[in-house]
Amino acid sequence: MWWINALVRGYQTPPRFFMLPEFTPQVRRLLRLEAFGFAVLKNLTFKRSEADTDHLVLPPSHMSSFLVGEHKKGEMAEECCCLSKELSVIKPPKKPHLALRMFVLSATMICSVYICLVCLKQIGNQSMPRVLKFEVIKESCRDPGISPSDISYVHYPKPATFSRDECACTPVRFFAILSMQRSGSGWFETLINSHPNISSNGEIFSVKERRSNMSSIIQTLDKVYNLEWYSSASKNECTAAVGLKWMLNQSLSAGLMDNHEEIVKYFNERGVYAILLFRRNLLRRMVSQLANDHDRIAKQLNGKHKAHVHSQYEADVLAKYKPFINATEMMSNLKYSAECVKNALGYFSNTRHMVLYYEDLILNHIKLVDVLDFLRLPHRHLVSRHVKIHRKPLDKQVDNWEVVVNALKGTEYESFLNADYTL
């Protein structure tokens, strides 16, 4: 209260203050005692006594100046005397033990040293340049609709030569068309390439350097499956399946059949779909092969060799040639082709594969739907510009047909003499 503070600061408040009519006698007495208590606490001093003990002594002059007033000196003196007897001597607390002081001092020093070390360490760290590393975590492109058995066959290539950001989450499947020359592989490849999401890059291993050893083969395959092989099969749409055409009988010294163990292992590790395309009638395949070899030399279409044609006129020109078949060579050729097909079916039986026959594709185009289902691709209408060259029965396409018939009768290849499809 302001009047108490005023009394403590110098007792300048007139004694008339305590006589205000608002205060009752009991209130006035309490105010004087409270003011006196503040004055005592403000003016306490230590004094050494004869008994060598510390006592707190209140200066008498100050006590008397407060106790003696203009009004009711006797009454106030009596009250204050009682209080002065109690407050004149106040014993201080005992001094703390020396060991306790030393302990507190030691603890303080240890804490101070620790705080200094922590501060120095923080200052040293702040003086060193800090490099903040930010790692961009991209959301996974995994499609929850993909079955667990297909996960290893779904890929998300990241080509180094171009950006695939717009198609980054489009799953890509790898495939390889394994076939033999003149088995309809070229026609079949144009059909699946008409799908906007399929890119089949053709017979890329026709170049010997690409199949000279297993290292070259793997390097070529990796380039194809990483979408970095540029050809006319490249699409503007997001690629969902990428592959190539690979001939079984491409070379007798190197290639697919000679390195089949390593290639099967590669197919299984990379999750490659194998599409095995064969021709049931190996005699028809042989006739087509002989006619194609003849055109390589004759170049019947304006001095150019064409293995595949896109018009009926060109097909009729090439179909005019009737090959002469050597009976002895025919038997060895048919035997080699049949053995090649049998071995391929055995070698790639442990891969994810499907077997197609040219005759089935000719007679039933629904087989193409099976191919799209195999590659897990949406159905589309597939078309090709290729025109079939040899459409006539076999007896109209071979120059020495009677010799061929006599050679095949009674053998396991006699069924090839019968027409197996009609166009």
Side-chain angles (χ1 to χ4, degrees):
M1 294 180 289
W2 66 268
W3 56 83
I4 297 176
N5 294 332
L7 291 173
V8 174
R9 283 194 297 269
Y11 314 106
Q12 301 299 324
T13 303
R16 291 187 302 274
F17 168 76
F18 296 101
M19 302 305 296
L20 292 176
E22 288 83 355
F23 299 146
T24 61
Q26 292 80 2
V27 173
R28 294 190 193 102
R29 182 179 301 176
L30 291 174
L31 290 175
R32 288 191 185 95
L33 291 175
E34 188 174 359
F36 176 73
F38 276 103
V40 169
L41 293 176
K42 182 178 180 181
N43 295 278
L44 289 177
T45 58
F46 279 101
K47 182 178 180 181
R48 179 70 64 176
S49 64
E50 295 179 357
D52 197 20
T53 58
D54 291 335
H55 296 277
L56 291 174
V57 181
L58 182 67
S61 61
H62 188 73
M63 185 182 295
S64 62
S65 64
F66 177 78
L67 296 176
V68 180
E70 294 180 359
H71 303 281
K72 298 183 180 181
K73 293 182 179 180
E75 181 182 353
M76 290 297 298
E78 182 181 356
E79 295 174 356
C80 292
C81 285
C82 296
L83 182 63
S84 64
K85 292 178 181 180
E86 298 177 0
L87 298 177
S88 59
V89 179
I90 302 176
K91 293 183 179 181
K94 296 181 178 181
K95 295 182 180 179
H97 195 270
L98 179 62
L100 180 60
R101 290 183 177 182
M102 293 301 297
F103 173 76
V104 174
L105 180 62
S106 302
T108 304
M109 292 179 62
I110 293 173
C111 292
S112 301
V113 173
Y114 176 76
I115 293 173
C116 291
L117 292 176
V118 172
C119 292
L120 291 175
K121 185 177 181 180
Q122 291 181 350
I123 294 173
N125 292 338
Q126 291 178 358
S127 63
M128 297 176 62
R130 293 184 177 183
V131 179
L132 298 180
K133 295 182 179 180
F134 296 93
E135 182 179 357
V136 179
I137 301 176
K138 294 184 177 180
E139 186 178 355
S140 176
C141 292
R142 300 297 180 188
D143 186 355
I146 298 176
S147 62
S149 60
D150 287 344
I151 291 179
S152 59
Y153 293 90
V154 175
H155 311 276
Y156 299 89
K158 296 180 180 180
T161 55
F162 69 95
S163 175
R164 195 173 176 263
D165 292 341
E166 68 279 5
C167 301
C169 287
T170 300
V172 179
R173 288 172 169 81
F174 305 155
F175 69 89
I177 303 171
L178 310 181
S179 185
M180 301 173 67
Q181 283 89 351
R182 315 312 296 179
S183 296
S185 58
W187 170 68
F188 173 75
E189 189 177 38
T190 59
L191 283 171
I192 63 173
N193 261 333
S194 66
H195 194 289
N197 304 116
I198 298 179
S199 294
S200 186
N201 294 278
E203 197 175 333
I204 62 176
F205 285 110
S206 59
V207 180
K208 293 182 179 180
E209 288 75 12
R210 297 171 186 165
R211 52 182 168 86
S212 59
N213 52 60
M214 196 59 206
S215 178
S216 300
I217 292 174
I218 292 179
Q219 184 178 1
T220 304
L221 291 174
D222 287 342
K223 189 173 182 180
V224 171
Y225 294 138
N226 203 38
L227 304 181
E228 294 181 321
W229 190 275
Y230 302 107
S231 68
S232 58
S234 302
K235 304 294 178 61
N236 292 328
E237 302 291 334
C238 293
T239 300
V242 62
L244 67 152
K245 186 173 66 170
W246 205 344
M247 297 295 101
L248 300 177
N249 57 335
Q250 202 141 45
S251 175
L252 297 178
S253 59
L256 178 60
M257 301 300 287
D258 299 292
N259 300 283
H260 63 88
E261 293 182 357
E262 292 83 355
I263 294 171
V264 168
K265 180 180 178 181
Y266 178 89
F267 279 12
N268 289 329
E269 290 178 351
R270 293 299 306 272
V272 179
Y273 291 78
I275 302 175
L276 290 91
L277 176 61
F278 303 119
R279 200 161 184 169
R280 284 197 176 94
N281 194 325
L282 298 179
L283 181 59
R284 278 187 173 272
R285 193 197 75 83
M286 182 179 178
V287 170
S288 179
Q289 181 70 55
L290 292 174
N292 186 64
D293 293 342
H294 170 75
D295 190 65
R296 290 180 187 274
I297 301 173
K299 297 180 174 58
Q300 304 171 78
L301 296 172
N302 300 322
K304 294 182 180 180
H305 167 63
K306 288 188 177 182
H308 308 285
V309 296
H310 297 154
S311 69
Q312 190 60 52
Y313 168 76
E314 294 175 332
D316 294 339
V317 171
L318 296 180
K320 290 180 180 178
Y321 173 74
K322 295 182 180 182
F324 182 90
I325 299 178
N326 186 300
T328 304
E329 293 180 358
M330 177 185 65
M331 296 302 296
S332 61
N333 186 291
L334 293 176
K335 183 178 181 180
Y336 167 76
S337 299
E339 185 177 356
C340 188
V341 171
K342 179 181 178 181
N343 290 338
L345 292 173
Y347 295 157
F348 294 91
S349 61
N350 293 328
T351 64
R352 176 168 286 195
H353 68 282
M354 72 175 302
V355 181
L356 290 175
Y357 289 97
Y358 175 75
E359 290 81 3
D360 296 338
L361 293 174
I362 289 290
L363 297 176
N364 186 6
H365 285 189
I366 299 179
K367 286 292 183 180
L368 294 174
V369 176
D370 296 339
V371 177
L372 298 180
D373 291 340
F374 176 66
L375 296 176
R376 310 295 194 272
L377 296 177
H379 294 180
R380 294 291 186 274
H381 178 61
L382 306 181
V383 296
S384 175
R385 294 180 57 208
H386 281 201
V387 177
K388 184 172 175 58
I389 298 174
H390 299 96
R391 302 167 62 90
K392 298 178 182 179
L394 273 174
D395 59 341
K396 304 296 183 181
Q397 299 179 36
V398 179
D399 188 38
N400 56 336
W401 178 246
E402 293 182 358
V403 175
V404 172
V405 171
N406 293 332
L408 293 180
K409 278 187 176 181
T411 66
E412 56 183 323
Y413 309 117
E414 184 177 0
S415 60
F416 296 159
L417 297 173
N418 303 319
D420 44 10
Y421 57 87
T422 304
L423 297 178

